[in-house]
Amino acid sequence: MSSNSQSSFASRLGKAKTLVTTVSSYTDYTAPVATASVATITQTITDIEAVQQQYNTAKSDYTLKTNQRKQIFTENEDALEKRLSPIRTFIEALKGKNSTELVQITSLVNKIRGNTTKSTTVSTESETDTISQIERTYASRLSNFKNIIDILTSLGASYAPPNEQITLTALTEYATTAEASITAVDVCLSVFKPIINQRKTMFDTLREQTQSMKNFIKAQYGLSSNEYNQVKKLSI
């Protein structure tokens, strides 16, 4: 099975170009079907290169927005995750170690931290599956953060921390900021995911076309021919 890593896509496209260049030198090669012709495969390569440009642009936009979101959730001095310990510490002081509120908030804090995504780099076999997993993680973290705010709101006037970063107003505003960062990524993904799928489909087509070409070269020139030996190891 072909890998879907970025280096693999570039390598496969390079091998396809080598195949076309090599077969173009066979002056008597005849493709019994159009999909195994030099012209058809050359056009497929051209189409893939155009989609690759779209992919690069869309991925750059996605990476920018995911980095901005990461700053909001974990990296900034006032990041969402950095507000969790002060919240928990204040509730422990206010309600006690054995209070229901502290138990509930501690559980939500652990869920948020447990869902922390160490990296948004997409490098596994299924790019769209990896992205979907990352997006679910951020949505879950925001949901748990909002649940913490709900618990704090239920405490009424007794929840009055001196730390301005964990007041209800500040937390609610930051939840809105965090949600906006997720939405911005979602907008990028609405463009990026279809391009990922389109590129994969086009490479599947290229693999079928190039394999067909190699099969016909073997049939026309023979298994032990120089022509077939030149192309048989070019796996797309």
Side-chain angles (χ1 to χ4, degrees), residues 143-159:
S143 177
N144 287 323
F145 186 65
K146 287 182 175 180
N147 288 339
I148 290 175
I149 294 174
D150 288 341
I151 295 171
L152 301 179
T153 301
S154 72
L155 298 177
S158 67
Y159 182 73

Side-chain angles (χ1 to χ4, degrees), residues 36-202:
S37 69
V38 168
T40 296
I41 295 176
T42 298
Q43 185 60 55
T44 300
I45 291 171
T46 299
D47 293 342
I48 288 175
E49 288 178 328
V51 169
Q52 183 63 43
Q53 290 299 317
Q54 298 174 23
Y55 174 94
N56 291 341
T57 299
K59 185 173 184 180
S60 177
D61 291 342
Y62 170 71
T63 300
L64 174 64
K65 295 302 182 183
T66 55
N67 285 340
Q68 290 173 346
R69 181 182 60 183
K70 184 178 181 181
Q71 294 294 316
I72 290 169
F73 272 80
T74 61
E75 302 300 318
N76 290 341
E77 289 186 4
D78 62 346
L80 183 152
E81 187 173 297
K82 293 178 181 178
R83 300 178 188 227
L84 300 178
S85 289
I87 291 171
R88 187 189 178 285
T89 299
F90 183 77
I91 292 302
E92 182 177 351
L94 179 68
K95 304 298 291 186
K97 288 186 177 181
N98 298 319
S99 64
T100 299
E101 292 85 355
L102 182 61
V103 170
Q104 292 173 333
I105 288 175
T106 298
S107 176
L108 292 167
V109 166
N110 289 338
K111 288 179 180 178
I112 292 172
R113 289 173 173 166
N115 280 330
T116 297
T117 304
K118 298 301 181 183
S119 172
T120 56
T121 300
V122 179
S123 59
T124 58
E125 281 295 304
S126 178
E127 192 166 15
T128 54
D129 285 352
T130 303
I131 289 172
S132 295
Q133 181 180 0
I134 292 170
E135 300 317 307
R136 286 193 299 270
T137 295
Y138 275 98
S140 175
R141 292 165 74 189
L142 178 60
S143 177
N144 287 323
F145 186 65
K146 287 182 175 180
N147 288 339
I148 290 175
I149 294 174
D150 288 341
I151 295 171
L152 301 179
T153 301
S154 72
L155 298 177
S158 67
Y159 182 73
N163 183 342
E164 293 184 358
Q165 288 189 354
I166 63 170
T167 63
L168 282 175
T169 298
L171 295 175
T172 301
E173 289 177 353
Y174 206 81
T176 300
T177 298
E179 188 163 18
S181 74
I182 291 176
T183 300
V185 172
D186 289 341
V187 171
C188 288
L189 283 177
S190 69
V191 175
F192 189 30
K193 277 189 174 182
I195 294 173
I196 293 172
N197 293 330
Q198 181 184 12
R199 186 180 68 158
K200 182 179 183 304
T201 297
M202 294 176 75

Side-chain angles (χ1 to χ4, degrees), residues 19-20 23-24 29-44 209-210 212-213 216:
L19 175 63
V20 166
V23 177
S24 294
Y29 169 67
T30 302
V33 296
T35 53
S37 69
V38 168
T40 296
I41 295 176
T42 298
Q43 185 60 55
T44 300
Q209 291 174 346
T210 54
S212 179
M213 172 180 275
F216 284 123

